[in-house]
Amino acid sequence: MESWIHDKLSLEQREPLTRNTRNANIFAVAGSGKTRTMVYMIMNDLAEGVPPSEIIAFTFTEKAADELLTRIHITAKEHLGDIDLAGLSVGTIHNWCFEYLLEQNDFYNFEPIDELHADALISRIYDQIDLKEAYGLPFPKAVMPFLNDVEIFYNENLDIQDVPKEKREAVQSYIDLIRRNRILPFGAMIRHATEHLDEVGPLDDLSRLYVDEYQDVNPAQVELIQNMHPDSGELVAVGDDMQCIYQWRGSDVKRILEFDDDFLDSETFTMETNYRSRPEILETANEISNNMADINADKSLEPDRDPTPANAVNWLSYASEEQQAIGIADIIAEYVNNGVDESDIAVLIRKHQFGRPIVEEIESRGINVDSPALRRGEDFINEFVKPVFNWLSQEHQDPRNKVEQKELEQEVQVFESSVEPWIDSSLDYPLNKFWDKLNNWEDSIERQTNEAYNIRTQLYDLLDACGIHIDKSDTDLMMGIAITSQIIRSVEEVHRRRLDSDNRRTPRSVMKEIHLAIDRNQDDFGETEEIDIPSVGVSVNTVHQAKGLEWPVVIIPSMNSGDFPIRNQSHGTSYPDEIAGRYGTNIEDERRLFYVAATRAEDRLFLTDTSSSTDDNRSPFIEELQNEIGDSPVDINQIDQNSWDQDWDSDTDDTTPELAGLSDLLLYIECPYQYGLRRKANIQPAVGDELGYGDGLHELIQRRAESDSEWDDEERSQRVDEHVHLPYMSAPMEENSQKGIEKRIQTLEDLGVLDRESETELPVEIVFRNGIVHGEIDYIEHSEDGLVIRDWKSNLNHEDLLSRYERQLQFYVHVLRHDGYDVSKAVLVDVGATNKSDELVTHKIDITDQAVSRVVGQIEEAIDGIQEHQFEPTPSETACSSCDMERLCPYSEAPDQ
């Protein structure tokens, strides 16, 4: 063990392993290999016999969690054989808190909501919690101020008495409402988990707790960690105070600087060696950090790589944004002409709006650009989506006179001129197709039918009628529809949800709310929201979006005063500065962001401004760097020719193994393009069977199977009432559904199916050549002939989905056999048909070695395809008929409905 860890880690990376304290605070500079270090520290724990179930690792994002977990699995398989990693917890703090709360009786059937849903929820309950009175602002102007106040309440773990008096009642009303309706925003997850741990004590079975990106924790998260952490456990925090860039989300850099005050028996370590960047770039980054306040001044970036004979850092100045865009395109073209891959170059912008002229100029040179939120996708939202919802949010009365007639004609003309370029001109009478579908939608809004609330379905029908489909090469439109669908989903789900003592808004009001929500949120995509569409080209994204990434060539434009750094901004909340002061933005925050941008560069760093004619408008950051970059900018023609040569290895294979859920891989097997649209672009499907009936049925089957005795009528009814919560149904429909579930459980009990020795909801994980696949087996029955796998389906009427279900169970057979179990049978149980016939209705699965091997081979090919970004469509009538993306796809072979 010591030898392979010694071979993989440097001396400074190994030092925390030999500490004499329980806890460790690791200051890891940019590019110092912190993820590798965490992987091998966890490997060391496992090798020493620490059970995986006693290890928790927190990451800042789900993407980082997937990367860490896959590396752990692959490394464990290489060095520790077939060690069972079941129970190892790697994920975000929010995910852990939610899973922890679901295990507590008080939080059965609670549902998490993200920031987009919270935004929509506040809009819906605006009047109910009287935000107009609390803020003196009409709808919807108090939505964001209230959300900011609530965020600070949770992030700082405040008492309700700490909330400013005039806002206190609204905050308390919100807290009470989400609790009654079983809703958990991110902040509430942490608060409730912290409070519960405070009551019951720390996690006695927690031996090791790792927290990545510790510089970004807020006070509430620190208190949670303190309450989780037992005296016998060890805590390892890893972070970089110089990269604390989320202060507006509550990050408190003092927590990493004062770690040993929060956690006694601690030792501090530094990892200063940077394996990413050339020494000249690191000298620039160190100069940036020398001007920072509130940092660990004892560390600096130390290079591992050799210097380059080229000019690694260059500063160029232009007279305007237009000239800057041309200059940046010239730089990029120079590299591309010298054989540098387009994807080796990034332009990191401070603000979303800075990128548009740069993107347009690069594209005009015939160079590919990877910037989905700044290209045609944004145009689609502004020119098609928003005008459509603006139109639907208004009542259009028949004109009463010529003046009104003319006004309506002008409105229609402006509307049509905006949307018409997006409609397929090859259609017969394209605008007629548009208006026919839109008028049908508007009619359902006017009549307030249930269909009017099924907004994604209505929108996708409209796009289909207009011939607006997502070609596989059109990542811009893909991104535009993805952003639209995510915002609409949040509004739609919030307004479909049944809330106590609150009637849902009219469909017309919901249309208006969607229009406002798109306005409020669309720019966050590409700024702080994660985008994962595979693309090839020069990356143009914000600095926040670039954190954790790296490129050989990085260009940072608009180094002007007021642009980078942006001007100081107040926190804009109702709290005093002593509570909320750090939620604003000041030059220290901007300097850290500049440091992050500079340290993304591996081999070349370019800084540009638009202040050549007005030096006094230049960024103070440029002035602070003049010892490193010179007193005056250079012209592109003055740059040494060596600077354009590629003196780095562009073929290094650093592919991270894929972590995938089985359900996702089954989608990929059916059609890689469907998988790409759903899982990579994150386009949200139209509402189908999202009402929770199947989940409620599964929950009751599991609980009955785990029960020691049969339920009588009273207990069965009580269990259904306690555990089956269907908030997207009307109250009468929920009651009928609960009775239906209760009857189905009784039927299964009468047939004796649930009284056999069994295991339920068994999580499984298996390592393949290039990735890890995880899933969950509904039900395993123990019989004399071997294990029987049962998967419960509400009904098996969907013939198109049968092959997916069969592959799922065949994979589970492979996992169990791989672990040495004898599996005799696998069946799908049609619970609905069983209830009707009073006899067990099943569909038996072929689990011969040949059938199982075939599915395993398909899954391995799917993992390889996802890693290689292969998302070609493979249409077929069967696959397309069950595809959620069928109306958006130009390749569909589904029969006409």
Side-chain angles (χ1 to χ4, degrees):
M1 179 191 69
E2 289 183 3
S3 63
W4 57 258
I5 289 181
H6 186 278
D7 290 342
K8 296 294 184 180
L9 299 182
S10 68
L11 176 61
E12 62 182 11
Q13 291 169 340
R14 294 195 304 269
E15 281 184 337
L17 289 169
T18 60
R19 68 183 186 275
N20 296 315
T21 58
R22 286 196 304 118
N23 306 316
N25 184 24
I26 304 174
F27 286 93
V29 302
S32 61
K34 67 180 179 63
T35 301
R36 170 187 289 269
T37 302
M38 288 180 65
V39 167
Y40 280 94
M41 291 185 76
I42 293 172
M43 288 299 99
N44 186 66
D45 294 336
L46 295 169
E48 289 184 348
V50 178
S53 60
E54 295 184 10
I55 301 173
I56 296 175
F58 287 149
T59 60
F60 192 66
T61 66
E62 292 182 10
K63 187 174 182 179
D66 289 350
E67 179 182 353
L68 180 59
L69 186 58
T70 53
R71 290 192 180 188
I72 290 169
H73 272 280
I74 297 298
T75 308
K77 183 176 182 180
E78 178 183 356
H79 295 294
L80 300 178
D82 290 328
I83 184 172
D84 185 2
L85 295 179
L88 177 67
S89 177
V90 178
T92 66
I93 291 179
H94 296 114
N95 281 348
W96 183 88
C97 287
F98 180 65
E99 294 298 328
Y100 175 76
L101 290 172
L102 288 184
E103 297 172 358
Q104 318 310 321
N105 292 338
D106 291 344
F107 292 92
Y108 284 146
N109 291 312
F110 272 64
E111 182 178 350
I113 62 171
D114 60 22
E115 293 167 339
L116 287 174
H117 285 79
D119 179 284
L121 177 62
I122 301 305
S123 295
R124 176 174 173 181
I125 63 175
Y126 198 97
D127 296 331
Q128 188 176 349
I129 62 176
D130 206 1
L131 291 187
K132 182 177 180 181
E133 174 68 22
Y135 287 84
L137 296 170
F139 176 83
K141 292 185 178 180
V143 171
M144 293 312 297
F146 180 73
L147 277 173
N148 292 338
D149 284 347
V150 168
E151 185 175 20
I152 289 179
F153 170 76
Y154 282 126
N155 287 347
E156 303 300 307
N157 210 11
L158 301 177
D159 186 88
I160 192 63
Q161 297 304 315
D162 297 321
V163 178
K165 186 176 181 180
E166 66 275 12
K167 311 298 190 294
R168 195 174 300 157
E169 186 175 347
V171 172
Q172 186 63 63
S173 297
Y174 172 74
I175 293 168
D176 294 341
L177 183 144
I178 61 175
R179 182 66 185 261
R180 290 194 310 271
N181 289 280
R182 309 186 197 187
I183 297 171
L184 278 175
F186 289 161
M189 294 176 194
I190 292 177
R191 176 174 288 250
H192 290 311
T194 301
E195 290 173 345
H196 191 270
L197 288 163
D198 192 46
E199 292 176 8
V200 302
L203 304 174
D204 292 333
D205 58 353
L206 176 58
S207 294
R208 303 288 190 274
L209 175 59
Y210 293 85
V211 185
D212 193 15
E213 304 288 5
Y214 196 80
Q215 78 279 353
D216 291 322
V217 297
N218 60 44
Q221 292 167 337
V222 172
E223 189 168 344
L224 168 75
I225 293 166
Q226 289 172 325
N227 284 4
M228 294 172 62
H229 193 40
D231 291 339
S232 58
E234 298 181 10
L235 169 65
V236 176
V238 185
D240 183 4
D241 49 314
M242 297 177 186
Q243 297 189 71
C244 180
I245 60 172
Y246 294 103
Q247 78 292 338
W248 41 274
R249 285 184 167 182
S251 298
D252 186 357
V253 71
K254 289 184 178 178
R255 299 283 53 84
I256 191 171
L257 297 173
E258 299 174 6
F259 180 87
D260 54 356
D261 292 335
D262 292 330
F263 301 95
L264 303 180
D265 194 18
S266 299
E267 187 174 355
T268 297
F269 301 89
T270 58
M271 290 165 43
E272 298 182 296
T273 304
N274 175 288
Y275 299 93
R276 174 188 300 159
S277 305
R278 297 286 189 176
E280 299 90 338
I281 295 172
L282 298 186
E283 289 170 6
T284 300
N286 281 329
E287 191 65 29
I288 298 171
S289 67
N290 288 340
N291 290 283
M292 290 182 186
D294 292 330
I295 61 169
N296 175 3
D298 294 333
K299 75 177 194 305
S300 63
L301 291 155
E302 298 296 332
D304 178 73
R305 297 184 64 192
D306 294 330
T308 173
N311 295 329
V313 182
N314 289 285
W315 164 36
L316 298 92
S317 188
Y318 304 93
S320 66
E321 286 191 19
E322 181 182 4
Q323 288 187 14
Q324 177 182 249
I326 294 171
I328 288 173
D330 287 341
I331 293 170
I332 293 169
E334 192 73 41
Y335 278 114
V336 172
N337 291 337
N338 276 275
V340 173
D341 195 281
E342 294 168 344
S343 61
D344 280 352
I345 306 169
V347 181
L348 302 185
I349 52 180
R350 174 60 184 92
K351 290 181 180 179
H352 183 264
Q353 59 265 35
F354 292 163
R356 176 54 72 102
I358 297 172
V359 167
E360 291 175 350
E361 182 61 34
I362 298 171
E363 287 185 318
S364 73
R365 310 291 184 93
I367 298 172
N368 294 312
V369 178
D370 177 12
S371 185
L374 285 169
R375 298 173 66 201
R376 216 166 62 93
E378 184 182 44
D379 294 337
F380 171 73
I381 294 173
N382 292 329
E383 297 170 8
F384 189 93
V385 175
K386 287 167 72 173
V388 163
F389 281 100
N390 182 54
W391 179 271
L392 294 172
S393 68
Q394 304 172 49
E395 292 189 29
H396 299 279
Q397 306 289 348
D398 290 334
R400 293 169 295 184
N401 51 54
K402 291 183 178 180
V403 173
E404 290 186 356
Q405 176 71 31
K406 186 174 182 180
E407 289 175 348
L408 179 60
E409 289 174 355
Q410 289 175 341
E411 184 181 2
V412 169
Q413 184 178 6
V414 171
F415 184 29
E416 288 184 346
S417 66
S418 183
V419 301
E420 187 174 14
W422 295 94
I423 300 172
D424 185 354
S425 60
S426 68
L427 296 172
D428 293 333
Y429 307 105
L431 275 176
N432 288 354
K433 297 281 177 66
F434 170 78
W435 280 111
D436 285 347
K437 186 61 68 174
L438 190 68
N439 287 336
N440 288 339
W441 188 353
E442 189 163 22
D443 182 58
S444 71
I445 292 171
E446 190 68 33
R447 292 185 291 111
Q448 299 191 29
T449 65
N450 283 334
E451 288 78 11
Y453 290 96
N454 203 340
I455 301 160
R456 279 168 283 170
T457 294
Q458 297 278 10
L459 177 62
Y460 296 165
D461 282 346
L462 177 64
L463 298 180
D464 190 25
C466 294
I468 301 175
H469 301 117
I470 307 173
D471 186 88
K472 61 186 180 182
S473 63
D474 196 347
T475 56
D476 297 333
L477 180 62
M478 193 183 298
M479 192 68 246
I481 292 177
I483 292 171
T484 299
S485 72
Q486 291 174 50
I487 296 174
I488 290 176
R489 177 195 174 197
S490 66
V491 178
E492 183 179 348
E493 289 184 350
V494 163
H495 285 275
R496 284 171 62 96
R497 188 184 183 97
R498 192 177 70 253
L499 299 178
D500 59 353
S501 66
D502 174 66
N503 295 322
R504 64 184 181 180
R505 293 184 184 270
T506 66
R508 186 83 66 191
S509 296
V510 176
M511 297 304 113
K512 182 176 182 180
E513 172 51 29
I514 286 176
H515 185 267
L516 294 170
I518 293 172
D519 247 1
R520 288 195 299 269
N521 294 296
Q522 74 177 89
D523 283 352
D524 284 343
F525 290 84
E527 176 66 23
T528 60
E529 297 289 338
E530 202 162 281
I531 296 174
D532 195 24
I533 290 182
S535 184
V536 176
V538 176
S539 177
V540 181
N541 268 313
T542 65
V543 183
H544 282 103
Q545 194 68 33
K547 190 168 186 293
L549 304 177
E550 57 193 45
W551 294 267
V553 180
V554 167
I555 304 167
I556 307 175
S558 301
M559 298 296 301
N560 311 305
S561 180
D563 293 338
F564 202 171
I566 61 172
R567 291 178 174 85
N568 289 358
Q569 297 177 353
S570 169
H571 52 81
T573 75
S574 304
Y575 296 89
D577 288 347
E578 55 264 28
I579 290 177
R582 75 174 188 281
Y583 286 79
T585 299
N586 59 42
I587 194 167
E588 287 301 319
D589 304 315
E590 292 292 288
R591 189 174 281 111
R592 284 185 165 87
L593 195 61
F594 182 35
Y595 176 89
V596 168
T599 53
R600 300 310 94 196
E602 297 175 330
D603 296 275
R604 305 287 189 272
L605 174 63
F606 291 86
L607 309 176
T608 72
D609 65 51
T610 59
S611 303
S612 64
S613 59
T614 54
D615 288 353
D616 56 346
N617 193 43
R618 187 161 285 138
S619 170
F621 296 159
I622 293 291
E623 296 175 7
E624 293 171 358
L625 286 177
Q626 288 185 344
N627 286 336
E628 296 296 329
I629 63 175
D631 294 333
S632 58
V634 298
D635 183 88
I636 190 170
N637 297 319
Q638 297 174 306
I639 297 176
D640 190 290
Q641 183 57 41
N642 290 329
S643 297
W644 308 116
D645 294 335
Q646 179 174 314
D647 57 0
W648 60 85
D649 183 2
S650 197
D651 298 325
T652 302
D653 184 13
D654 190 28
T655 304
T656 302
E658 194 71 30
L659 176 68
L662 176 61
S663 59
D664 288 345
L665 292 171
L666 297 179
L667 277 181
Y668 186 93
I669 291 170
E670 290 174 11
C671 178
Y673 193 56
Q674 176 189 190
Y675 171 92
L677 294 176
R678 285 286 306 275
R679 296 295 185 255
K680 290 297 181 182
N682 204 16
I683 295 176
Q684 300 300 303
V687 175
D689 185 17
E690 293 182 351
L691 299 180
Y693 183 91
D695 290 339
L697 177 62
H698 275 78
E699 175 79 10
L700 263 293
I701 289 175
Q702 176 191 354
R703 292 189 178 277
R704 172 58 187 85
E706 292 173 349
S707 180
D708 295 332
S709 59
E710 186 175 339
W711 295 341
D712 58 25
D713 292 345
E714 181 179 353
E715 183 175 7
R716 191 182 306 111
S717 178
Q718 178 185 344
R719 294 276 190 156
V720 170
D721 185 62
E722 182 179 356
H723 297 296
V724 179
H725 180 52
L726 307 171
Y728 296 104
M729 296 181 178
S730 65
M733 191 174 178
E734 180 184 48
E735 184 177 353
N736 288 336
S737 296
Q738 288 176 327
K739 289 179 180 177
I741 290 174
E742 186 176 341
K743 177 65 169 62
R744 283 158 175 73
I745 297 299
Q746 183 177 354
T747 299
L748 293 174
E749 284 182 322
D750 292 343
L751 294 172
V753 180
L754 303 178
D755 290 323
R756 302 164 186 172
E757 183 184 356
S758 63
E759 297 176 62
T760 63
E761 305 295 326
L762 180 69
V764 294
E765 221 163 43
I766 189 166
V767 180
F768 282 91
R769 179 181 64 253
N770 286 328
I772 301 108
V773 182
H774 60 87
E776 188 172 79
I777 305 177
D778 272 358
Y779 185 95
I780 300 175
E781 177 185 309
H782 295 264
S783 71
E784 293 181 358
D785 297 328
L787 300 181
V788 177
I789 302 176
R790 297 190 189 278
D791 195 1
W792 313 96
K793 299 299 179 186
S794 302
N795 63 73
L796 283 175
N797 294 335
H798 302 293
E799 291 293 328
D800 298 330
L801 297 175
L802 193 56
S803 60
R804 186 186 304 175
Y805 299 152
E806 290 175 339
R807 290 188 185 103
Q808 180 182 33
L809 266 62
Q810 288 165 338
F811 172 77
Y812 290 150
V813 170
H814 167 72
V815 173
L816 292 174
R817 285 176 176 169
H818 176 271
D819 290 342
Y821 295 99
D822 180 23
V823 182
S824 61
K825 188 165 55 173
V827 295
L828 295 164
V829 180
D830 189 331
V831 180
T834 297
N835 183 60
K836 289 180 180 179
S837 63
D838 283 330
E839 62 179 18
L840 195 64
V841 178
T842 63
H843 174 83
K844 188 176 180 181
I845 307 298
D846 181 0
I847 60 169
T848 60
D849 290 344
Q850 182 180 10
V852 172
S853 296
R854 181 172 60 250
V855 168
V856 171
Q858 290 173 337
I859 288 174
E860 287 185 319
E861 289 176 4
I863 294 172
D864 292 344
I866 293 170
Q867 274 202 324
E868 295 166 6
H869 301 302
Q870 298 296 322
F871 302 114
E872 289 293 312
T874 55
S876 69
E877 184 172 322
T878 300
C880 294
S881 295
S882 61
C883 176
D884 291 324
M885 300 288 106
E886 184 265 330
R887 280 167 298 170
L888 300 174
C889 178
Y891 313 103
S892 175
E893 293 184 1
D896 293 335
Q897 299 298 317

